[in-house]
Structures are given as structure tokens and as C-alpha cells.
Coordinates of all heavy atoms in Angstrom, one line a residue:
M409 N -8.8 -12.3 -10.9 CA -9.5 -12.5 -12.1 C -10.8 -11.9 -12.2 O -11.6 -12.2 -13.0 CB -9.5 -14.0 -12.4 CG -8.2 -14.7 -12.6 SD -8.2 -16.4 -13.2 CE -9.2 -17.2 -12.1
M410 N -11.1 -11.0 -11.2 CA -12.4 -10.4 -11.1 C -12.4 -9.0 -11.6 O -13.4 -8.3 -11.7 CB -12.8 -10.3 -9.6 CG -12.9 -11.7 -8.9 SD -14.3 -12.7 -9.4 CE -15.6 -11.7 -8.7
S411 N -11.2 -8.4 -12.0 CA -11.2 -7.1 -12.5 C -10.1 -7.0 -13.6 O -9.4 -7.9 -13.8 CB -10.9 -6.1 -11.3 OG -9.6 -6.4 -10.7
S412 N -10.0 -5.8 -14.2 CA -9.0 -5.6 -15.3 C -8.0 -4.6 -14.8 O -8.2 -3.9 -13.9 CB -9.7 -5.0 -16.5 OG -10.8 -5.8 -16.8
P413 N -6.9 -4.6 -15.5 CA -6.4 -5.5 -16.6 C -5.9 -6.8 -16.0 O -5.6 -6.9 -14.8 CB -5.3 -4.7 -17.2 CG -4.7 -3.9 -16.1 CD -5.9 -3.5 -15.2
V414 N -5.8 -7.8 -16.9 CA -5.3 -9.1 -16.5 C -4.1 -9.4 -17.4 O -4.2 -9.2 -18.6 CB -6.4 -10.2 -16.7 CG1 -5.8 -11.6 -16.5 CG2 -7.6 -9.9 -15.7
I415 N -3.1 -9.9 -16.8 CA -1.9 -10.4 -17.5 C -1.9 -11.9 -17.2 O -1.7 -12.3 -16.0 CB -0.6 -9.7 -17.1 CG1 -0.8 -8.2 -17.5 CG2 0.5 -10.4 -17.8 CD1 0.4 -7.4 -16.9
A416 N -2.0 -12.8 -18.2 CA -2.0 -14.2 -17.9 C -0.6 -14.8 -18.2 O 0.1 -14.4 -19.2 CB -3.0 -14.9 -18.8
M417 N -0.1 -15.7 -17.4 CA 1.2 -16.3 -17.5 C 1.1 -17.7 -17.1 O 0.5 -18.1 -16.1 CB 2.2 -15.6 -16.6 CG 3.6 -16.1 -16.7 SD 4.8 -15.1 -15.8 CE 4.3 -15.4 -14.1
A418 N 1.6 -18.6 -17.9 CA 1.6 -20.1 -17.6 C 3.1 -20.4 -17.3 O 4.0 -20.1 -18.1 CB 1.1 -20.9 -18.7
V419 N 3.3 -21.0 -16.1 CA 4.6 -21.4 -15.7 C 4.6 -22.9 -15.4 O 3.7 -23.4 -14.8 CB 5.0 -20.7 -14.4 CG1 6.4 -21.1 -13.9 CG2 5.0 -19.2 -14.6
G420 N 5.6 -23.6 -15.9 CA 5.7 -25.0 -15.7 C 7.0 -25.5 -15.2 O 8.0 -24.7 -15.1
G421 N 7.1 -26.7 -14.8 CA 8.4 -27.3 -14.3 C 8.2 -28.0 -13.0 O 7.1 -28.0 -12.4
E422 N 9.3 -28.6 -12.5 CA 9.2 -29.4 -11.3 C 8.8 -28.5 -10.1 O 9.4 -27.4 -9.8 CB 10.6 -29.9 -11.0 CG 10.7 -30.8 -9.8 CD 10.1 -32.2 -10.1 OE1 10.1 -32.6 -11.2 OE2 9.6 -32.8 -9.1
G423 N 7.7 -28.8 -9.5 CA 7.2 -28.1 -8.3 C 6.7 -26.7 -8.6 O 6.6 -25.9 -7.7
A424 N 6.3 -26.5 -9.8 CA 5.9 -25.1 -10.2 C 4.7 -24.6 -9.4 O 4.7 -23.4 -9.0 CB 5.6 -25.1 -11.7
I425 N 3.7 -25.4 -9.2 CA 2.5 -24.9 -8.5 C 2.9 -24.6 -7.0 O 2.6 -23.5 -6.6 CB 1.4 -26.0 -8.5 CG1 0.9 -26.1 -9.9 CG2 0.3 -25.6 -7.5 CD1 -0.1 -27.3 -10.1
E426 N 3.6 -25.4 -6.3 CA 4.0 -25.1 -5.0 C 4.9 -23.9 -4.9 O 4.8 -23.1 -4.0 CB 4.7 -26.4 -4.4 CG 3.8 -27.6 -4.2 CD 3.6 -28.4 -5.5 OE1 4.4 -28.2 -6.5 OE2 2.7 -29.2 -5.5
R427 N 5.9 -23.8 -5.8 CA 6.8 -22.7 -5.8 C 6.1 -21.4 -6.1 O 6.4 -20.3 -5.5 CB 7.9 -22.9 -6.8 CG 8.8 -24.1 -6.3 CD 9.8 -24.5 -7.3 NE 10.9 -23.5 -7.3 CZ 11.9 -23.5 -8.1 NH1 12.0 -24.4 -9.1 NH2 12.9 -22.6 -8.0
A428 N 5.2 -21.4 -7.0 CA 4.4 -20.2 -7.4 C 3.5 -19.7 -6.2 O 3.5 -18.6 -5.8 CB 3.5 -20.4 -8.6
R429 N 2.9 -20.7 -5.5 CA 2.0 -20.4 -4.4 C 2.8 -19.8 -3.2 O 2.4 -18.9 -2.5 CB 1.2 -21.6 -4.0 CG 0.2 -21.9 -5.2 CD -1.0 -22.7 -4.8 NE -1.7 -22.3 -3.7 CZ -2.8 -21.5 -3.7 NH1 -3.2 -20.9 -4.9 NH2 -3.5 -21.2 -2.6
K430 N 4.1 -20.3 -3.0 CA 4.9 -19.7 -2.0 C 5.3 -18.3 -2.3 O 5.3 -17.4 -1.4 CB 6.2 -20.6 -1.9 CG 7.1 -20.2 -0.8 CD 8.3 -21.1 -0.6 CE 9.2 -20.6 0.5 NZ 10.4 -21.5 0.7
L431 N 5.6 -18.0 -3.6 CA 5.9 -16.7 -4.0 C 4.8 -15.7 -3.9 O 5.0 -14.6 -3.5 CB 6.3 -16.7 -5.5 CG 6.7 -15.4 -6.2 CD1 7.9 -14.8 -5.6 CD2 6.8 -15.6 -7.7
V432 N 3.5 -16.1 -4.2 CA 2.4 -15.2 -4.1 C 1.8 -15.1 -2.7 O 1.3 -14.0 -2.4 CB 1.3 -15.6 -5.1 CG1 1.8 -15.6 -6.5 CG2 0.6 -16.8 -4.8
G433 N 2.0 -16.1 -1.8 CA 1.4 -16.0 -0.5 C 0.0 -16.5 -0.4 O -0.6 -16.8 -1.4
P434 N -0.5 -16.6 0.8 CA -1.9 -17.1 1.0 C -3.0 -16.2 0.3 O -2.7 -15.0 0.1 CB -2.1 -17.1 2.5 CG -1.0 -16.5 3.1 CD 0.1 -16.2 2.1
T435 N -4.1 -16.8 0.0 CA -5.2 -16.1 -0.7 C -5.6 -14.8 0.0 O -5.8 -13.8 -0.7 CB -6.4 -17.0 -0.9 OG1 -5.9 -18.2 -1.6 CG2 -7.5 -16.4 -1.7
D436 N -5.7 -14.9 1.3 CA -6.1 -13.7 2.0 C -4.8 -12.8 2.3 O -4.0 -13.2 3.1 CB -6.7 -14.1 3.4 CG -7.3 -12.9 4.1 OD1 -6.9 -11.7 3.8 OD2 -8.1 -13.1 5.0
S437 N -4.7 -11.7 1.6 CA -3.5 -10.9 1.6 C -3.2 -10.4 3.0 O -2.1 -10.1 3.4 CB -3.7 -9.7 0.7 OG -3.8 -10.1 -0.6
R438 N -4.3 -10.3 3.9 CA -4.0 -9.8 5.2 C -3.2 -10.9 6.1 O -2.6 -10.5 7.1 CB -5.4 -9.6 5.9 CG -6.2 -8.4 5.3 CD -7.6 -8.4 5.8 NE -8.3 -9.6 5.4 CZ -9.6 -9.8 5.4 NH1 -10.4 -8.8 5.8 NH2 -10.1 -10.9 5.0
K439 N -3.2 -12.1 5.6 CA -2.5 -13.2 6.3 C -1.1 -13.5 5.6 O -0.4 -14.3 6.0 CB -3.3 -14.4 6.3 CG -4.6 -14.3 7.1 CD -5.4 -15.5 7.1 CE -6.7 -15.3 7.8 NZ -7.6 -16.5 7.7
A440 N -0.8 -12.8 4.5 CA 0.4 -13.0 3.7 C 1.6 -12.3 4.3 O 1.5 -11.2 4.7 CB 0.2 -12.6 2.3
A441 N 2.7 -13.0 4.3 CA 3.9 -12.4 4.8 C 4.5 -11.3 3.9 O 4.3 -11.4 2.7 CB 5.0 -13.5 5.0
A442 N 5.2 -10.4 4.5 CA 5.9 -9.4 3.8 C 6.9 -10.1 2.9 O 7.4 -11.1 3.3 CB 6.6 -8.4 4.7
G443 N 7.1 -9.6 1.7 CA 8.0 -10.3 0.8 C 7.3 -11.2 -0.2 O 7.9 -11.6 -1.2
T444 N 6.0 -11.5 0.0 CA 5.2 -12.2 -1.0 C 4.5 -11.2 -1.8 O 4.3 -10.0 -1.3 CB 4.2 -13.2 -0.3 OG1 3.3 -12.4 0.5 CG2 4.9 -14.2 0.6
I445 N 4.0 -11.6 -2.9 CA 3.3 -10.6 -3.8 C 2.0 -10.1 -3.1 O 1.8 -8.9 -3.1 CB 3.0 -11.3 -5.2 CG1 4.3 -11.5 -5.9 CG2 2.0 -10.4 -6.0 CD1 4.1 -12.4 -7.2
R446 N 1.3 -11.0 -2.5 CA 0.0 -10.6 -1.9 C 0.3 -9.9 -0.6 O -0.4 -8.9 -0.2 CB -0.9 -11.8 -1.6 CG -1.5 -12.4 -2.8 CD -2.2 -13.7 -2.5 NE -2.9 -14.2 -3.7 CZ -3.1 -15.5 -3.9 NH1 -2.8 -16.4 -3.0 NH2 -3.7 -15.9 -5.0
G447 N 1.3 -10.3 0.1 CA 1.7 -9.6 1.4 C 2.1 -8.1 1.1 O 1.8 -7.2 1.9
D448 N 2.8 -7.9 0.0 CA 3.3 -6.5 -0.3 C 2.3 -5.7 -1.1 O 2.3 -4.5 -0.9 CB 4.6 -6.6 -1.1 CG 5.7 -7.2 -0.4 OD1 5.6 -7.3 0.9 OD2 6.8 -7.5 -1.0
L449 N 1.4 -6.3 -1.9 CA 0.5 -5.6 -2.8 C -1.0 -5.8 -2.6 O -1.7 -5.0 -3.1 CB 0.9 -5.9 -4.2 CG 2.4 -5.6 -4.6 CD1 2.7 -6.1 -6.0 CD2 2.7 -4.1 -4.4
G450 N -1.4 -6.9 -2.0 CA -2.8 -7.2 -1.9 C -3.4 -6.4 -0.7 O -2.7 -5.8 0.1
T451 N -4.8 -6.4 -0.7 CA -5.5 -5.7 0.3 C -6.4 -6.5 1.2 O -6.6 -6.2 2.3 CB -6.3 -4.5 -0.2 OG1 -7.2 -5.0 -1.2 CG2 -5.4 -3.5 -0.9
D452 N -6.9 -7.6 0.6 CA -7.8 -8.5 1.4 C -7.9 -9.8 0.6 O -7.1 -10.2 -0.2 CB -9.2 -7.8 1.6 CG -9.9 -7.4 0.3 OD1 -9.8 -8.1 -0.7 OD2 -10.5 -6.3 0.3
N453 N -9.0 -10.6 1.0 CA -9.2 -11.9 0.4 C -9.7 -11.8 -1.1 O -9.5 -12.7 -1.9 CB -10.3 -12.7 1.2 CG -10.3 -14.1 0.9 OD1 -9.3 -14.7 0.6 ND2 -11.5 -14.7 0.8
R454 N -10.3 -10.7 -1.5 CA -10.9 -10.6 -2.8 C -9.9 -9.8 -3.7 O -9.8 -10.2 -4.9 CB -12.2 -9.9 -2.8 CG -13.3 -10.6 -1.9 CD -13.9 -11.7 -2.6 NE -14.7 -11.3 -3.7 CZ -15.1 -12.2 -4.6 NH1 -14.9 -13.4 -4.5 NH2 -15.8 -11.7 -5.6
R455 N -9.3 -8.8 -3.2 CA -8.4 -8.0 -4.0 C -6.9 -8.4 -3.6 O -6.3 -7.7 -2.8 CB -8.6 -6.5 -3.8 CG -9.9 -6.1 -4.4 CD -10.0 -4.5 -4.5 NE -11.2 -4.1 -5.1 CZ -11.5 -4.0 -6.4 NH1 -10.5 -4.3 -7.2 NH2 -12.6 -3.6 -6.8
N456 N -6.5 -9.5 -4.1 CA -5.2 -10.1 -3.6 C -4.2 -10.0 -4.7 O -3.2 -10.6 -4.6 CB -5.4 -11.5 -3.1 CG -6.0 -12.4 -4.0 OD1 -6.0 -12.2 -5.2 ND2 -6.6 -13.5 -3.5
V457 N -4.4 -9.3 -5.8 CA -3.5 -8.9 -6.8 C -3.1 -10.0 -7.8 O -3.0 -9.7 -9.0 CB -2.2 -8.3 -6.2 CG1 -1.2 -7.9 -7.2 CG2 -2.4 -7.2 -5.2
V458 N -3.0 -11.2 -7.4 CA -2.5 -12.3 -8.2 C -3.3 -13.6 -8.0 O -3.8 -13.8 -6.9 CB -1.0 -12.5 -8.0 CG1 -0.7 -12.9 -6.6 CG2 -0.4 -13.4 -9.0
H459 N -3.4 -14.4 -9.0 CA -4.0 -15.7 -8.9 C -2.9 -16.8 -9.2 O -2.1 -16.6 -10.1 CB -5.1 -15.9 -9.8 CG -5.7 -17.3 -9.8 ND1 -6.5 -17.7 -8.7 CD2 -5.6 -18.3 -10.6 CE1 -6.8 -19.0 -9.0 NE2 -6.2 -19.4 -10.1
A460 N -2.9 -17.9 -8.4 CA -2.1 -19.0 -8.7 C -2.9 -20.3 -8.5 O -3.5 -20.4 -7.5 CB -0.8 -19.0 -7.8
S461 N -2.8 -21.1 -9.5 CA -3.6 -22.4 -9.4 C -3.2 -23.2 -8.2 O -2.0 -23.2 -7.8 CB -3.3 -23.2 -10.6 OG -3.7 -22.5 -11.8
D462 N -4.1 -23.9 -7.6 CA -3.8 -24.7 -6.4 C -3.5 -26.2 -6.6 O -3.2 -26.9 -5.7 CB -5.0 -24.6 -5.4 CG -6.3 -25.1 -5.9 OD1 -6.4 -25.6 -7.0 OD2 -7.3 -25.0 -5.1
S463 N -3.7 -26.6 -7.9 CA -3.4 -28.0 -8.2 C -3.2 -28.2 -9.7 O -3.6 -27.3 -10.5 CB -4.6 -28.9 -7.8 OG -5.8 -28.6 -8.5
A464 N -2.7 -29.3 -10.1 CA -2.5 -29.6 -11.5 C -3.8 -29.6 -12.3 O -3.9 -29.0 -13.4 CB -1.7 -30.9 -11.8
P465 N -4.9 -30.3 -11.8 CA -6.1 -30.3 -12.6 C -6.7 -28.8 -12.7 O -7.2 -28.5 -13.8 CB -7.1 -31.2 -11.8 CG -6.2 -32.1 -11.0 CD -4.9 -31.2 -10.7
T466 N -6.6 -28.1 -11.6 CA -7.1 -26.7 -11.7 C -6.3 -25.9 -12.7 O -6.8 -25.1 -13.5 CB -7.1 -26.0 -10.3 OG1 -7.9 -26.8 -9.4 CG2 -7.6 -24.6 -10.4
A467 N -5.0 -26.1 -12.7 CA -4.1 -25.3 -13.6 C -4.5 -25.7 -15.0 O -4.5 -24.7 -15.9 CB -2.6 -25.7 -13.3
E468 N -4.7 -26.9 -15.3 CA -5.1 -27.3 -16.7 C -6.3 -26.6 -17.2 O -6.4 -26.0 -18.3 CB -5.3 -28.8 -16.8 CG -4.0 -29.6 -16.7 CD -4.3 -31.1 -16.8 OE1 -5.3 -31.5 -17.3 OE2 -3.4 -31.8 -16.3
M469 N -7.4 -26.5 -16.3 CA -8.6 -25.8 -16.7 C -8.3 -24.3 -16.8 O -8.8 -23.6 -17.8 CB -9.7 -26.0 -15.6 CG -10.2 -27.3 -15.5 SD -11.6 -27.5 -14.4 CE -11.0 -26.9 -12.9
E470 N -7.5 -23.7 -15.9 CA -7.3 -22.3 -16.0 C -6.4 -21.9 -17.2 O -6.6 -20.9 -17.8 CB -6.7 -21.8 -14.7 CG -7.7 -21.9 -13.6 CD -7.2 -21.7 -12.2 OE1 -5.9 -21.7 -12.0 OE2 -8.0 -21.4 -11.3
V471 N -5.4 -22.7 -17.5 CA -4.6 -22.4 -18.7 C -5.5 -22.5 -19.9 O -5.3 -21.6 -20.8 CB -3.4 -23.4 -18.8 CG1 -2.7 -23.4 -20.1 CG2 -2.4 -23.1 -17.7
A472 N -6.4 -23.4 -20.0 CA -7.3 -23.5 -21.2 C -8.2 -22.3 -21.3 O -8.6 -22.0 -22.4 CB -8.1 -24.8 -21.1
R473 N -8.5 -21.7 -20.2 CA -9.3 -20.5 -20.2 C -8.7 -19.3 -20.8 O -9.3 -18.5 -21.5 CB -9.7 -20.1 -18.7 CG -10.7 -19.0 -18.6 CD -11.0 -18.7 -17.2 NE -11.6 -19.9 -16.5 CZ -11.5 -20.2 -15.3 NH1 -10.7 -19.5 -14.4 NH2 -12.0 -21.3 -14.8
F474 N -7.4 -19.2 -20.7 CA -6.6 -18.0 -21.2 C -5.8 -18.3 -22.4 O -5.4 -17.3 -23.1 CB -5.7 -17.5 -20.1 CG -6.4 -16.9 -18.9 CD1 -6.6 -17.6 -17.8 CD2 -7.0 -15.6 -19.0 CE1 -7.3 -17.0 -16.7 CE2 -7.7 -15.0 -18.0 CZ -7.8 -15.7 -16.8
F475 N -5.5 -19.5 -22.7 CA -4.6 -19.8 -23.9 C -5.2 -20.8 -24.8 O -5.8 -21.8 -24.4 CB -3.2 -20.3 -23.4 CG -2.5 -19.4 -22.5 CD1 -2.6 -19.5 -21.1 CD2 -1.7 -18.4 -23.0 CE1 -1.9 -18.6 -20.3 CE2 -1.0 -17.5 -22.2 CZ -1.1 -17.6 -20.8
R476 N -5.0 -20.6 -26.1 CA -5.4 -21.6 -27.1 C -4.3 -22.6 -27.3 O -3.1 -22.3 -27.1 CB -5.7 -20.9 -28.4 CG -6.9 -20.0 -28.4 CD -7.2 -19.4 -29.7 NE -6.1 -18.5 -30.1 CZ -6.1 -17.2 -30.3 NH1 -7.3 -16.5 -30.1 NH2 -5.1 -16.5 -30.6
P477 N -4.6 -23.8 -27.8 CA -3.6 -24.8 -28.1 C -2.5 -24.2 -29.0 O -2.8 -23.4 -30.0 CB -4.3 -25.9 -28.8 CG -5.7 -25.8 -28.3 CD -6.0 -24.3 -28.1
G478 N -1.3 -24.5 -28.7 CA -0.2 -24.0 -29.6 C 0.4 -22.6 -29.1 O 1.4 -22.2 -29.7
E479 N -0.2 -21.9 -28.2 CA 0.2 -20.6 -27.8 C 1.3 -20.7 -26.7 O 2.0 -19.7 -26.4 CB -0.9 -19.8 -27.2 CG -1.8 -19.2 -28.3 CD -2.9 -18.3 -27.7 OE1 -3.4 -18.5 -26.6 OE2 -3.1 -17.3 -28.5
L480 N 1.5 -21.9 -26.1 CA 2.5 -22.0 -25.0 C 3.7 -22.8 -25.5 O 3.6 -23.7 -26.3 CB 1.9 -22.8 -23.8 CG 0.7 -22.1 -23.2 CD1 0.1 -23.0 -22.1 CD2 1.0 -20.8 -22.6
F481 N 4.9 -22.4 -25.1 CA 6.1 -23.1 -25.4 C 6.0 -24.5 -24.8 O 5.5 -24.6 -23.6 CB 7.3 -22.4 -24.9 CG 7.6 -21.1 -25.6 CD1 7.3 -19.9 -25.0 CD2 8.1 -21.1 -26.9 CE1 7.5 -18.7 -25.6 CE2 8.3 -19.9 -27.5 CZ 8.1 -18.7 -26.9
G482 N 6.5 -25.5 -25.5 CA 6.4 -26.8 -24.9 C 5.1 -27.6 -25.2 O 5.0 -28.7 -24.8
D483 N 4.2 -27.0 -25.9 CA 2.9 -27.7 -26.3 C 3.3 -28.8 -27.3 O 4.1 -28.7 -28.1 CB 1.9 -26.7 -27.0 CG 1.1 -26.0 -25.9 OD1 1.2 -26.3 -24.7 OD2 0.2 -25.2 -26.3

């Protein structure tokens, strides 16, 4: 979220945060396994290609940063 362009996506459902974080890999791309988004495409701790919220309260704040009420399905 430190550079452009940015594509914002909100994903919900049972275990969504944990599943998304598994898909993207650890924040430091150098420690991310091959097959994760950061492992395949990131370069370091700052340029790690993708952001994923780490908790429900954080997700609520971050979703509010990018989306207005009524813009998401299920609102």
C-alpha cells in the first residue's frame, strides 16, 4: 500500500483472514515459500507485492479505508 497502482479487494467468509494470509505468505518475501504470492513475486519486507489484514479489527479499518458503505456485496 506504499506504491501504485493499487487494486483493492475485500474477501469474506469462514476463516477468510487465515486462508488469505496462507495464500500470500509471510510479510517478508525473503521468508515466503515458493507457491505463495510473496514467495513468487515479492522482493523484501517492504516490496512484498500484496497486503492481507492480520485480524478482523484490522480488516474492518482497512476495508473502510478503500470502500464506501454499500460498495461491497453482503453489506
Side-chain angles (χ1 to χ4, degrees):
M409 295 190 307
M410 303 285 293
S411 61
S412 307
V414 172
I415 298 171
M417 178 172 70
V419 179
E422 186 73 30
I425 292 170
E426 294 80 14
R427 294 173 76 185
R429 296 203 45 96
K430 184 176 179 180
L431 176 68
V432 302
T435 302
D436 187 341
S437 297
R438 297 169 295 195
K439 297 177 182 176
T444 63
I445 295 171
R446 290 175 176 153
D448 291 350
L449 304 171
T451 58
D452 57 39
N453 192 41
R454 303 281 293 164
R455 295 194 176 276
N456 57 23
V457 182
V458 63
H459 175 75
S461 302
D462 61 0
S463 68
T466 302
E468 288 179 22
M469 289 187 307
E470 292 171 344
V471 166
R473 183 179 302 146
F474 290 101
F475 299 97
R476 292 184 296 248
E479 287 187 322
L480 300 176
F481 293 104
D483 273 359

